[in-house]
C-alpha cells in the first residue's frame, strides 16, 4: 500500500499586510487546521479578480467568525499593539463588512 500526502489547497497568494495594509475582497471560503500551527486560512477574491489568502489569528478569527461566502470585506492592518490584559504584543486589525444602505 502507498500513501500520498494531502496538502491544503494553496491556489492563492498570502496577503502581506506589511506591504499592503488594506485588503478589500469578496469572502470565498475558509480552511481550518492549516499549516504547522493548525490555523485558519481565509480566502478572498479582490476587485481585480485575484485570489488571496489571510492567515487567521485571535483577532481575525473572532471578527470573521460570522462572515458568509459572498460577503464583501475590508481588512485594515493597524500594526502591533500591546494587550492591556496580558502585556503581550499582537497584530491588530479593523475588519468591515459592506452593507447595503436603504
Amino acid at each position: 500500500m502507498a500513501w500520498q500526502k494531502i496538502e491544503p489547497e494553496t491556489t492563492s497568494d498570502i496577503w502581506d499586510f506589511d506591504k499592503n495594509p488594506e485588503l478589500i475582497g469578496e469572502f470565498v471560503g475558509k480552511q481550518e487546521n492549516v499549516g504547522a500551527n493548525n490555523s485558519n486560512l481565509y480566502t478572498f477574491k479582490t476587485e481585480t479578480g485575484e485570489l488571496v489568502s489571510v492567515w487567521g489569528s485571535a483577532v481575525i478569527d473572532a471578527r470573521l467568525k460570522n462572515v458568509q461566502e459572498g460577503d464583501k470585506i475590508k481588512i485594515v492592518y493597524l500594526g502591533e499593539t500591546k494587550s492591556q490584559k496580558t502585556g503581550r504584543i499582537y497584530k491588530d486589525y479593523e475588519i468591515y463588512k459592506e452593507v447595503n444602505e436603504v
Side-chain angles (χ1 to χ4, degrees):
M1 180 184 310
W3 295 92
Q4 179 181 5
K5 185 175 180 181
I6 300 173
E7 298 288 350
E9 291 182 38
T10 53
T11 57
S12 60
D13 293 327
I14 302 298
W15 189 261
D16 185 345
F17 284 103
D18 290 322
K19 290 182 182 176
N20 299 298
E22 183 175 290
L23 167 65
I24 297 175
E26 177 184 328
F27 179 64
V28 175
K30 174 177 91 170
Q31 296 177 57
E32 298 177 339
N33 300 314
V34 178
N37 297 317
N38 294 320
S39 298
N40 291 327
L41 188 63
Y42 301 90
T43 302
F44 298 88
K45 184 176 185 179
T46 67
E47 294 170 326
T48 62
E50 177 185 12
L51 289 177
V52 296
S53 293
V54 173
W55 285 108
S57 66
V59 173
I60 290 174
D61 291 341
R63 295 188 177 138
L64 291 180
K65 70 180 179 180
N66 294 319
V67 172
Q68 302 293 318
E69 286 186 24
D71 286 348
K72 191 166 183 179
I73 302 296
K74 177 167 77 168
I75 303 174
V76 180
Y77 177 53
L78 302 175
E80 292 186 339
T81 304
K82 186 174 183 178
S83 169
Q84 292 187 4
K85 286 185 179 181
T86 66
R88 295 178 64 204
I89 302 293
Y90 67 95
K91 292 185 175 187
D92 197 11
Y93 302 85
E94 287 181 341
I95 299 180
Y96 302 88
K97 176 180 166 184
E98 183 179 67
V99 293
N100 294 326
E101 294 186 29
V102 179

